[in-house]
Amino acid sequence: QVQLVESGGGLVQTGDSLTLSCGLSGRALQYSVGWFRQTPGKKREFVAAISYTGAFTRVAEALEGRFAISRDNNKNTVYLQMNSAVPDDAGTYHCGANAEYYDVSDELDAYRFWGQGTQVTVSS
């Protein structure tokens, strides 16, 4: 069984920082994890990914410098740090599990299991 639960979303103002969490259980503990975000009517967009051990990470090029991904396997949690928020960062953020332990793919299809998402709203 693979379970992921996102948390930490909310309302922030432009320029604020926010940390999202993805709680892992079951086999997800041994998987790579990616964060994607989605707005109504649009395809889920890659944000960042991290390998099982945390040795490999990837952040979407357009978000480098503002977003960071990390994980604490002792706490069974993957984090997404968002800095200097802008209105375009708003959306539902989902974390997904990728069974390829060291893969930090930016492809949606690489992630078989998903959480329900956490909503981020950015006010201008």
Side-chain angles (χ1 to χ4, degrees), residues 4-9 20-23 35 93-96 114-118:
L4 304 94
V5 179
E6 302 93 338
S7 61
L20 306 181
S21 298
C22 175
W35 282 97
Y93 283 70
H94 297 267
C95 58
W114 294 93
Q116 292 299 308
T118 186

Side-chain angles (χ1 to χ4, degrees), residues 45-75:
E45 172 192 30
F46 173 75
V47 176
I50 189 165
S51 61
Y52 161 52
T53 64
F56 303 105
T57 62
R58 173 183 285 185
V59 177
E61 185 174 354
L63 303 178
E64 285 180 353
R66 293 199 303 116
F67 283 66
I69 188 169
S70 61
R71 71 190 293 165
D72 185 341
N73 285 343
N74 291 323
K75 295 183 178 180

Side-chain angles (χ1 to χ4, degrees), residues 3-24:
Q3 291 184 319
L4 304 94
V5 179
E6 302 93 338
S7 61
L11 172 64
V12 297
Q13 295 187 346
T14 297
D16 282 354
S17 296
L18 187 68
T19 301
L20 306 181
S21 298
C22 175
L24 310 174

Side-chain angles (χ1 to χ4, degrees), residues 63-90:
L63 303 178
E64 285 180 353
R66 293 199 303 116
F67 283 66
I69 188 169
S70 61
R71 71 190 293 165
D72 185 341
N73 285 343
N74 291 323
K75 295 183 178 180
N76 302 335
T77 304
V78 172
Y79 303 98
L80 181 69
Q81 176 71 37
M82 177 195 310
N83 298 315
S84 303
V86 299
D88 281 350
D89 291 331

